Amino acid sequence: MAAAPSAAPPAPTSRLRAVVGEEELLRARAVSAVRAAVLERHPDAELHELAAQGLPVGQLADVLAPSLFGGHRVVVVTGVQEAAGALVEALTGYARDPDPDLTLVVVHSGGKRNEALVKAFVAAGAAVDDCPRVTSVGDRIAFVRNEVRSAGGRITADAAAALVEAVGADLRQLSSAATQLVSDFGGTVDADAVARFHRGQAEVTGFSVAERVLVGDRQGSLELLRWALQRGVAHVLIADAIADGVRTAARVSSVRSSNPGDLARTLRMPPWKVKKAQAQARGWSIEGLQQAIGVAAELNADVKGAAASADYALERAVRRIVAIRRETGRGARP
């Protein structure tokens, strides 16, 4: 069995680096590690990231050219397996005589196409981060245990196996679940904790996302949103739940009464819904709720086709509404 991928690659030092492999999460982590290591040594370093597909050679040359202002630079060229021949030649030529004040990272998602570019970098002394796809169940379990350990917890062997069985092969989902388990349960995560966690995530609805948004829980609302989308909850249902929650909180806040019975009669709403809306409206100002209603209206159009990505539109709306609550809510700084 192949060794399980570590939670983070070792701190890189080479001015040339090749990040290679099919596992997207590991590639992203390797690139982040390069940036972090360079910024630790050069806090003012310039950061550039370019997609290789369709990249003009002239644009690459401009970024790689010595800087007039000095200082270190980090240049990441992603998707080099899709690079045109001229770009491959330019990168290969640069690798033969790299600038000591520039860290160049090429990212290749695996396969034979433009494999010669990676070999040329290795021949020129580049460090290599291997990011192979994690295919075996054993390696996924080892990955989960590493993630839990990195988050400050411990997980039993049966719990790690149960989590892999419940979540599947996607490393991002496994990482997110492992981190959330440590946050929710702390200490040692056992199989019962995994079962309770997964059962709770399976029950995520648009309304549970809306509840987290309205109380200003940015991290929690984004986490629930992603789980809801992964489990096939329709974009429109989530958008409608957010809009309903914001409108209901606004209606409750606009009436000068705190008595749930009076509010229920005035607004013609069930008492339980009034109490829930009162709790969610705490910390909001009328101005903030009005702005949030506008965001919810835009979101409604976005998820019905106005936006290129409904997933992105939902996440952006969640972030905006939480930010509005923080910036305009009661007790917010002027």
Side-chain angles (χ1 to χ4, degrees), residues 188-240:
T188 299
V189 177
D190 58 19
D192 181 60
V194 172
R196 281 185 286 156
F197 170 80
H198 186 62
R199 185 165 57 249
Q201 298 303 334
E203 296 166 358
V204 169
T205 66
F207 290 104
S208 57
V209 175
E211 288 172 10
R212 292 291 89 205
V213 173
L214 282 162
V215 298
D217 182 358
R218 179 175 177 272
Q219 181 175 351
S221 57
L222 289 172
E223 186 71 27
L224 285 180
L225 172 62
R226 289 162 188 159
W227 276 101
L229 293 173
Q230 288 164 12
R231 274 153 180 74
V233 180
H235 299 91
V236 172
L237 293 181
I238 301 173
D240 285 348

Side-chain angles (χ1 to χ4, degrees), residues 3-248:
S6 60
T13 56
S14 174
R15 290 290 183 262
L16 293 174
R17 201 154 191 104
V19 176
V20 185
E22 297 178 339
E23 197 60 68
E24 189 272 335
L25 174 63
L26 301 185
R27 295 199 308 267
R29 286 184 174 180
V31 172
S32 294
V34 173
R35 292 195 185 102
V38 171
L39 289 172
E40 185 176 354
R41 297 191 299 271
H42 308 282
D44 298 325
E46 294 180 20
L47 305 177
H48 302 271
E49 182 166 324
L50 306 169
Q53 188 170 25
L55 178 65
V57 173
Q59 184 178 346
L60 176 70
D62 288 342
V63 174
L64 296 180
S67 172
L68 297 175
F69 305 101
H72 199 86
R73 287 164 291 151
V74 180
V75 178
V76 179
V77 183
T78 61
V80 295
Q81 72 281 353
E82 302 294 339
L87 189 69
V88 170
E89 290 179 10
L91 288 167
T92 302
Y94 174 85
R96 297 190 191 103
D97 185 22
D99 184 341
D101 292 322
L102 188 149
T103 298
L104 174 61
V105 185
V106 293
V107 184
H108 191 292
S109 65
K112 295 295 184 181
R113 187 172 180 183
N114 286 341
E115 186 181 39
L117 171 61
V118 175
K119 292 180 178 178
F121 264 60
V122 173
V128 179
D129 289 298
D130 287 315
C131 307
R133 187 173 298 283
V134 179
T135 56
S136 77
V137 173
D139 282 353
R140 290 175 199 141
I141 290 172
F143 173 80
V144 165
R145 301 186 77 165
N146 283 336
E147 294 296 287
V148 170
R149 190 179 303 116
S150 297
R154 299 176 61 190
I155 186 168
T156 61
D158 58 340
L163 186 61
V164 169
E165 182 178 355
V167 174
D170 188 286
L171 290 198
R172 282 198 181 278
Q173 294 181 31
L174 285 171
S175 175
S176 176
T179 304
Q180 190 65 45
L181 277 164
V182 175
S183 175
D184 288 349
F185 298 99
T188 299
V189 177
D190 58 19
D192 181 60
V194 172
R196 281 185 286 156
F197 170 80
H198 186 62
R199 185 165 57 249
Q201 298 303 334
E203 296 166 358
V204 169
T205 66
F207 290 104
S208 57
V209 175
E211 288 172 10
R212 292 291 89 205
V213 173
L214 282 162
V215 298
D217 182 358
R218 179 175 177 272
Q219 181 175 351
S221 57
L222 289 172
E223 186 71 27
L224 285 180
L225 172 62
R226 289 162 188 159
W227 276 101
L229 293 173
Q230 288 164 12
R231 274 153 180 74
V233 180
H235 299 91
V236 172
L237 293 181
I238 301 173
D240 285 348
I242 292 173
D244 179 72
V246 172
R247 286 195 301 265
T248 303

